[in-house]
Amino acid sequence: MAVDTESGRAMNQTLVMAGTIAGVLAGVLVAASLLIWGERRLLAVWQDRSGPNRVGPLGLGQVAADVVKILTKEDWIPPFADKPIFVLAPMIIMTTTLLSFAVICFGPSAVVADLNVGLLFFLAMSAMGVYSVVLAGWASNSKYPLLGAMRAAGQMFGYEVFMGLSLMGVVMCAGSFNLREIVLAQRHLWFCVPQVLGLVIFLIAGFAETRRLPLDLPETENELVAGYHTEYSGMKFGMFYVGEYVGVVLVSSLITVLFFGGWLGPWLPGVVWFCIKTLVFVCFFVLCRATLMRPRYDQLMSFGWKVLLPLSLANLLVTAAVVLVRGGQ
Amino acid sequence: MIALVKALWTVFLHSFRKRATIEYPEKKAYLAPRWRGRIVLTRGPDGKERCVGCYLCSAVCPVSCIALQCAEDETGRRYPEFFRINFSRCIFCGYCEEACPTYAIQLTPDYEMSEYDRQNLVYEKEDLLISGQGKYPGYDFYRVAGVSIGGKGKGEGENEQPPIDVRGLAD
């Protein structure tokens, strides 16, 4: 009998786990596809327009319409492309960004993998994401994708360095790489106050990582056609497209977890607080797209290496000193 | 940095502005009376066609989309036997309206003339003719013109005097 209950408990745990995974996957993908509509609506709001409001209530059917459109489009692989890698590249970006969600804690217990090196796992996954872009540009075997991929490589490697460094301040304050413990360490004071510099640097690095508009140099329309995904069409392009939105949701939820207390908040359940905070940052991403212009590539690189990297190192140093002094007391 | 934040705030404030979009099929933009849209052929106050078939509109049309054939009725009044405008070519420049000596051809504030079939954009005279007088009510070309026409001899029009016998002046 004892064995039976034990196996039953294990079974239960597996079910809960599967439920969590399915919930996280579905939630993230729904949020990302809603962003197809949401971004266009928000951009319209900030440009005094209405945006897509015809298909279904509030234009929400636009998501379905776009999905149907992109799925029924011709999925063309250029004859000069390196076929296996060309097909593989968009899968990598989706996989890595979706895998990163495994370590994010949406609520006190709503987390897929409660890793003790959760933050490192995220950094590793976002570093893997660079492969997708570079391979896509390389496998396309055409000049604009290659140029875009080279830019992406330079930009993402460069910005990855201080993306990691900017987060180390948070790690020091919390004393853990585990995202759940980082959230719990913010019960008294959200890290956006002591780590404001880290927040700003992480935000900028987040733009570079997701290749969103102020820093979308790998895909600048006016000089590189569409950058690394110029040769992509149909659902393979759609994967890059949705992958970008998944990335936006990912960075927004990371900002929430690391700097704005994750699920912490009064009255409402934790998951709701998490979603509200994440939504605010997703909207902020769109607002930045609506406002900011893109820098030149040399400006981007010199800003990254000459300003943000020293700043993040200084932030790290000061935080370390403060933590040391506090710890010494 | 402060400039960036200011810019973000300015853009954010646009959420509360009035939308510039006019939601078309439900709401429509105001069109001025002189807006250059669908072309019509008008009638005079007596209900007869104003067009006298002078071909000026056809001649001035920069895309040659107007075709007509003039005819004359038993009273000597000229009228177009057929009058055809190919709206798939028309550029709505309004030159025909400017050229028309009798205010017959007029452009109207209407643009909703989409068709699924290209051929349906070729309008014949019965499609173009309207029953009203358009923008110039009360104007009748034959009443002010010095030509004689069935029922109206020379000198019987408005602001007209009977013709002078030129030979008589010489006496």
Side-chain angles (χ1 to χ4, degrees):
Chain A
M1 283 306 282
V3 178
D4 265 14
T5 47
E6 202 153 283
S7 72
R9 205 178 297 134
M11 179 86 172
N12 243 359
Q13 260 179 344
T14 319
L15 273 180
V16 168
M17 208 61 224
T20 316
I21 293 173
V24 168
L25 259 183
V28 167
L29 285 176
V30 165
S33 52
L34 275 180
L35 259 179
I36 298 173
W37 164 84
E39 177 169 46
R40 286 166 66 188
R41 263 329 267 269
L42 280 174
L43 282 177
V45 160
W46 290 317
Q47 292 166 356
D48 298 349
R49 299 183 284 116
S50 319
N53 60 353
R54 292 286 145 156
V55 197
L58 291 171
L60 269 167
Q62 191 68 41
V63 177
D66 278 351
V67 167
V68 168
K69 184 198 81 172
I70 213 158
L71 280 175
T72 49
K73 269 197 169 182
E74 185 185 358
D75 197 358
W76 188 69
I77 298 174
F80 45 80
D82 189 343
K83 214 166 274 178
I85 299 179
F86 189 85
V87 177
L88 188 69
M91 297 180 195
I92 297 179
I93 190 95
M94 280 300 268
T95 317
T96 54
T97 37
L98 281 178
L99 268 179
S100 301
F101 276 100
V103 292
I104 288 184
C105 40
F106 300 89
S109 58
V111 56
V112 175
D114 199 7
L115 273 183
N116 58 349
V117 288
L119 200 53
L120 290 181
F121 181 80
F122 156 73
L123 289 172
M125 280 301 131
S126 83
M128 288 277 286
V130 186
Y131 276 109
S132 163
V133 176
V134 174
L135 288 179
W138 186 259
S140 293
N141 199 9
S142 137
K143 52 185 174 294
Y144 290 122
L146 183 66
L147 284 170
M150 291 301 107
R151 279 187 178 190
Q155 169 178 328
M156 288 165 89
F157 282 133
Y159 276 63
E160 203 117 303
V161 173
F162 53 81
M163 179 186 233
L165 284 177
S166 68
L167 296 181
M168 289 313 118
V170 169
V171 172
M172 278 182 199
C173 290
S176 170
F177 277 110
N178 185 321
L179 291 178
R180 200 164 55 83
E181 279 169 31
I182 290 176
V183 171
L184 288 176
Q186 299 179 63
R187 258 172 306 193
H188 305 297
L189 182 63
W190 290 355
F191 285 149
C192 62
V193 180
Q195 284 295 318
V196 64
L197 198 58
L199 169 64
V200 171
I201 295 169
F202 181 71
L203 201 63
I204 296 171
F207 278 112
E209 271 306 302
T210 49
R211 306 170 303 283
R212 290 285 303 175
L213 194 73
L215 304 179
D216 70 338
L217 284 113
E219 46 188 290
T220 42
E221 291 92 347
N222 45 0
E223 33 195 285
L224 295 183
V225 190
Y228 59 91
H229 56 57
T230 304
E231 305 288 351
Y232 281 86
S233 54
M235 201 51 215
K236 287 206 225 34
F237 167 76
M239 269 157 100
F240 277 119
Y241 197 66
V242 175
E244 187 181 309
Y245 287 129
V246 176
V248 169
V249 177
L250 174 66
V251 172
S252 303
S253 40
L254 264 174
I255 293 172
T256 306
V257 167
L258 297 172
F259 296 98
F260 287 87
W263 71 79
L264 299 175
W267 310 306
L268 294 169
V271 183
V272 176
W273 269 114
F274 181 88
C275 291
I276 291 172
K277 290 174 186 174
T278 308
L279 185 67
V280 169
F281 290 111
V282 168
C283 293
F284 182 74
F285 263 78
V286 181
L287 179 63
C288 284
R289 179 183 173 171
T291 310
L292 304 176
M293 60 284 173
R294 127 187 357 121
R296 262 191 348 250
Y297 191 65
D298 60 313
Q299 290 172 333
L300 173 89
M301 290 313 271
S302 62
F303 182 64
W305 288 108
K306 292 179 192 164
V307 179
L308 290 180
L309 182 63
L311 262 183
S312 57
L313 282 172
N315 180 46
L316 193 63
L317 212 65
V318 171
T319 312
V322 169
V323 168
L324 199 65
V325 168
R326 283 257 180 96
Q329 275 171 353
Chain B
M1 195 69 201
I2 292 161
L4 288 187
V5 175
K6 256 176 149 176
L8 285 172
W9 180 243
T10 310
V11 171
F12 177 73
L13 286 181
H14 271 262
S15 351
F16 310 109
R17 293 272 185 96
K18 197 177 162 287
R19 305 290 97 182
T21 316
I22 299 166
E23 307 218 352
Y24 164 61
E26 293 91 25
K27 292 177 202 147
K28 284 173 186 169
Y30 166 74
L31 299 180
R34 282 164 58 170
W35 206 82
R36 298 199 307 264
R38 182 170 56 89
I39 298 172
V40 294
L41 285 174
T42 58
R43 291 172 191 274
D46 51 1
K48 286 184 183 159
E49 290 171 42
R50 271 177 175 157
C51 179
V52 295
C54 68
Y55 296 105
L56 279 177
C57 51
S58 169
V60 78
C61 180
V63 290
S64 306
C65 70
I66 304 179
L68 71 152
Q69 173 62 54
C70 175
E72 218 169 88
D73 67 4
E74 59 279 2
T75 65
R77 185 183 170 112
R78 286 160 64 96
Y79 70 96
E81 202 171 16
F82 70 82
F83 198 108
R84 187 177 298 140
I85 297 182
N86 184 353
F87 277 109
S88 66
R89 274 200 195 179
C90 180
I91 59 171
F92 300 98
C93 63
Y95 283 7
C96 46
E97 183 176 11
E98 281 182 41
C100 184
T102 64
Y103 293 145
I105 193 163
Q106 291 180 9
L107 278 76
T108 56
D110 173 25
Y111 50 88
E112 292 170 322
M113 43 198 303
S114 314
E115 297 284 353
Y116 284 103
D117 192 350
R118 194 175 288 262
Q119 201 56 38
N120 293 344
L121 282 167
V122 179
Y123 282 39
E124 294 294 337
K125 194 166 108 174
E126 55 269 29
D127 308 318
L128 294 165
L129 260 179
I130 60 169
S131 52
Q133 304 179 50
K135 281 177 258 189
Y136 305 95
Y139 175 81
D140 186 357
F141 170 73
Y142 282 108
R143 224 186 282 152
V144 295
V147 289
S148 71
I149 191 166
K152 191 205 85 167
K154 282 207 168 186
E156 287 171 18
E158 286 168 17
N159 302 322
E160 242 182 277
Q161 282 159 2
I164 295 165
D165 182 4
V166 185
R167 294 241 173 87
L169 282 173
D171 286 342

